[in-house]
Amino acid sequence: MNTRPSPLIIRQARKEDANAIARIHVESWRSTYAGLLPDKLLLRMNVAEHETRWWRHVLARDRRNQFVYVADLEGEGIVGFGSGGASREMGLPYQSEIYTLYLADEFHGRGIGRRLFTALGERSLRERGPSVIVWVLAGNPSRFFYESLGGKAVA
């Protein structure tokens, strides 16, 4: 029997993860949203700005309504992240929302996104109840990932 621990750890993000999260965020937007969002917007994005203006800020505060997890792969470091919390759309009957879920492109198709989504969903369930919403652009191929998990178009 193999008792070796899994080389992938899904854990709550820490302040020192901000740079890796920002890098994956920017790279994922550029590859995922090419052709869906204006090139000018995607090219203007940069890792340093996302790290200092957004992710360091998010990870530095104890936020009750938001949580961030990373996929930390042995030998590779952080290869994905996701965040969630209270639903931001008051007009829909969902208590929680998955805000982000991104993987470095070369790690798609390995089950890492599913494990991240599961961790986010379990946290949402504990804190807010069983209904979760994820906003996805209709042209985003990632919507098929959510549909494979049972997601349905609602708005």
Side-chain angles (χ1 to χ4, degrees):
M1 184 170 136
N2 184 358
T3 58
R4 184 171 183 250
S6 169
L8 177 70
I9 297 170
I10 305 296
R11 62 171 173 79
Q12 191 156 343
R14 301 183 287 251
K15 288 184 280 189
E16 57 268 21
D17 298 328
N19 181 265
I21 291 170
R23 179 184 48 76
I24 292 167
H25 193 173
V26 169
E27 290 172 0
S28 293
W29 269 58
R30 287 182 177 160
S31 65
T32 302
Y33 300 123
L36 296 174
L37 296 176
D39 290 343
K40 191 181 243 183
L41 170 87
L42 298 174
L43 293 172
R44 215 174 31 231
M45 295 177 73
N46 76 54
V47 173
E49 188 171 302
H50 266 65
E51 177 184 359
T52 58
R53 288 190 171 192
W54 180 249
W55 290 109
R56 282 200 182 278
H57 174 71
V58 168
L59 297 173
R61 293 180 27 196
D62 179 27
R63 293 178 157 229
R64 290 185 169 193
N65 288 326
Q66 184 174 2
F67 45 87
V68 182
Y69 285 89
V70 294
D72 194 347
L73 185 60
E74 184 179 292
E76 299 286 344
I78 294 172
V79 298
F81 74 95
S83 64
S87 178
R88 296 173 288 188
E89 180 57 56
M90 296 301 159
L92 294 173
Y94 301 94
Q95 290 86 24
S96 59
E97 180 177 341
I98 304 299
Y99 304 142
T100 62
L101 181 61
Y102 295 108
L103 298 178
D105 286 349
E106 62 270 27
F107 295 96
H108 287 218
R110 298 186 188 187
I112 297 170
R114 182 178 296 269
R115 287 190 51 194
L116 261 173
F117 185 85
T118 298
L120 293 166
E122 287 172 352
R123 175 85 178 258
S124 295
L125 178 65
R126 280 193 315 271
E127 292 186 8
R128 303 216 164 264
S131 68
V132 177
I133 191 164
V134 180
W135 293 98
V136 181
L137 292 174
N140 181 344
S142 296
R143 81 171 200 274
F144 299 114
F145 166 77
Y146 296 109
E147 289 172 2
S148 77
L149 297 173
K152 307 254 185 285
V154 295

